[in-house]
Amino acid sequence: QVQLVESGGGLVQAGGSLRLSCAPSGLTTTRYAMAWFRQVPGKEREFVAAISRSGVYTEYVDSVKGRFTISRDDAKNMVYLQMNSLKPEDTAVYYCAAARLLATAQKDYNYWGRGTQVTVSS
């Protein structure tokens, strides 16, 4: 079975940083584009960032561009989201996802993690 396990979430003050990690099992990261989404209770799940299978192409939602960086370490079979200059509006559950090709829509992703909570205080 495929599992994506997120870690690295927690409580941080506004302006601080966190690095989220995604550790897949049952799939090899080199075969998938990887992405991060986030969700606040009562709202739609929102695309945050994605990286292509090659690692050459990345895409970000405008609200995080310049602050967040998605990366992959295929030798370790890991995906990361470095989050800097965090704002209270970044508070959400963050989910790791995998797809055959880079995309920004939920429907295009095949596998999902269970999420990790990020809380940014003001």
Side-chain angles (χ1 to χ4, degrees):
Q1 291 184 325
V2 172
Q3 271 193 309
L4 306 179
V5 180
E6 303 95 337
S7 62
L11 176 64
V12 65
Q13 292 185 342
S17 298
L18 286 173
R19 188 182 75 162
L20 305 184
S21 298
C22 176
S25 62
L27 68 80
T28 302
T29 57
T30 56
R31 300 176 66 88
Y32 292 88
M34 304 295 295
W36 291 92
F37 288 74
R38 64 188 180 187
Q39 189 168 27
V40 176
K43 293 188 176 182
E44 286 282 306
R45 191 167 296 186
E46 176 190 30
F47 169 79
V48 178
I51 187 166
S52 66
R53 289 177 291 178
S54 67
V56 172
Y57 301 100
T58 59
E59 190 161 340
Y60 300 90
V61 66
D62 287 345
S63 62
V64 309
K65 193 170 185 178
R67 299 189 297 121
F68 291 11
T69 303
I70 187 170
S71 62
R72 62 194 305 152
D73 185 344
D74 293 324
K76 296 180 179 179
N77 206 45
M78 295 284 289
V79 180
Y80 305 99
L81 184 68
Q82 179 66 46
M83 305 185 294
N84 298 327
S85 302
L86 282 161
K87 303 175 180 180
E89 51 262 46
D90 295 318
T91 295
V93 176
Y94 283 71
Y95 298 89
C96 181
R100 294 293 184 178
L101 294 172
L102 186 149
T104 60
Q106 289 186 66
K107 64 180 178 63
D108 294 319
Y109 284 84
N110 305 98
Y111 304 106
W112 293 85
R114 297 178 67 180
T116 185
Q117 177 71 48
V118 172
T119 302
V120 184
S121 65
S122 58

